[in-house]
Amino acid sequence: MSTHRLASVEIDSATLPAGTAEAEHERRVAIFDLVEKNVFEPIEAAGGPYALKLSQSDSRLVFEVSGPQLARTHVLSLTPLKGVLRDYLMICDSYNEVLRGVDASKIEAVDMGRRGLHNEGADLLKARLDGKIAIDHETARRLFTLICALYRRG
C-alpha cells in the first residue's frame, strides 16, 4: 500500500459547523469513504500517511495537510466550484424525491445526471488541486462528496 494516502480527515467545527443530523451523517460517511480508499500525494512530499484538516476562511476552503516531515496549508477558492456544487446538490435533492416514486425511467435519468455532475465536480476539484496535491479520479470524487456534505444546507 502506498504511503501517499490520507489516514485521517478532520473538520474544523468552528468554521464549518455541523448542520442537521442528516447532514452530519453525510459528513461522517463521506470521511469514512475518503479515508478508506484514496490516493493523496502532496507535491514534493517524501511520504505519508497524511492527516487533512478542512476549515473555511473568507469563503475559501482551507486544506491543512500534515504528515511525516510535512506541514502545508492550501487555500482554495470555491468560486470555480460553486455552479457545479449548487447544481449537484439540487439534483441530489431531485434524486431523493424521485426515489420515493415508482418510475424507474425517471430514477435512471436523474441518476445519470447526478453522476455526470459528480464527475464534473471531481474533475474541477482535481484541476484546482493540480500543482499542490496529486489525487486520482476516485479520490477526487470522494473529496467532492465530502465538500458537498460540508456545504449542504439543512
Side-chain angles (χ1 to χ4, degrees), residues 29-85:
V29 169
I31 289 170
F32 177 85
D33 289 346
L34 179 58
V35 171
E36 187 70 18
K37 186 173 182 190
N38 65 79
V39 174
F40 190 90
E41 185 174 351
I43 301 305
E44 298 179 3
Y50 308 102
L52 173 64
K53 181 177 180 181
L54 295 173
S55 61
Q56 183 174 318
S57 177
D58 297 326
S59 299
R60 291 182 170 89
L61 189 59
V62 179
F63 287 67
E64 292 178 50
V65 181
S66 60
Q69 303 174 11
L70 176 77
R72 290 193 192 146
T73 299
H74 301 288
V75 180
L76 276 153
S77 171
L78 291 173
T79 301
L81 289 169
K82 279 186 180 179
V84 71
L85 185 62

Side-chain angles (χ1 to χ4, degrees), residues 16-142:
L16 293 166
T20 63
E22 181 181 345
E24 190 58 26
H25 174 73
E26 285 180 16
R27 287 180 180 191
R28 284 191 305 271
V29 169
I31 289 170
F32 177 85
D33 289 346
L34 179 58
V35 171
E36 187 70 18
K37 186 173 182 190
N38 65 79
V39 174
F40 190 90
E41 185 174 351
I43 301 305
E44 298 179 3
Y50 308 102
L52 173 64
K53 181 177 180 181
L54 295 173
S55 61
Q56 183 174 318
S57 177
D58 297 326
S59 299
R60 291 182 170 89
L61 189 59
V62 179
F63 287 67
E64 292 178 50
V65 181
S66 60
Q69 303 174 11
L70 176 77
R72 290 193 192 146
T73 299
H74 301 288
V75 180
L76 276 153
S77 171
L78 291 173
T79 301
L81 289 169
K82 279 186 180 179
V84 71
L85 185 62
R86 181 192 62 240
D87 292 347
Y88 180 74
L89 292 173
M90 192 169 58
I91 203 165
C92 283
D93 291 340
S94 296
Y95 180 72
N96 291 331
E97 286 295 318
V98 170
L99 284 177
R100 295 177 236 255
V102 293
D103 189 346
S105 65
K106 283 185 182 177
I107 293 170
E108 187 175 326
V110 173
D111 188 47
M112 284 178 53
R114 183 183 62 84
R115 283 182 283 149
L117 281 169
H118 197 240
N119 285 334
E120 182 180 340
D123 291 343
L124 273 171
L125 182 58
K126 189 173 179 182
R128 300 287 300 140
L129 290 171
D130 189 43
K132 299 171 183 76
I133 303 168
I135 56 177
D136 66 353
H137 182 70
E138 288 305 311
T139 301
R141 285 178 54 84
R142 291 180 185 100

Side-chain angles (χ1 to χ4, degrees), residues 6-21:
L6 285 172
S8 67
V9 176
E10 178 187 348
I11 305 300
D12 177 28
S13 59
T15 62
L16 293 166
T20 63

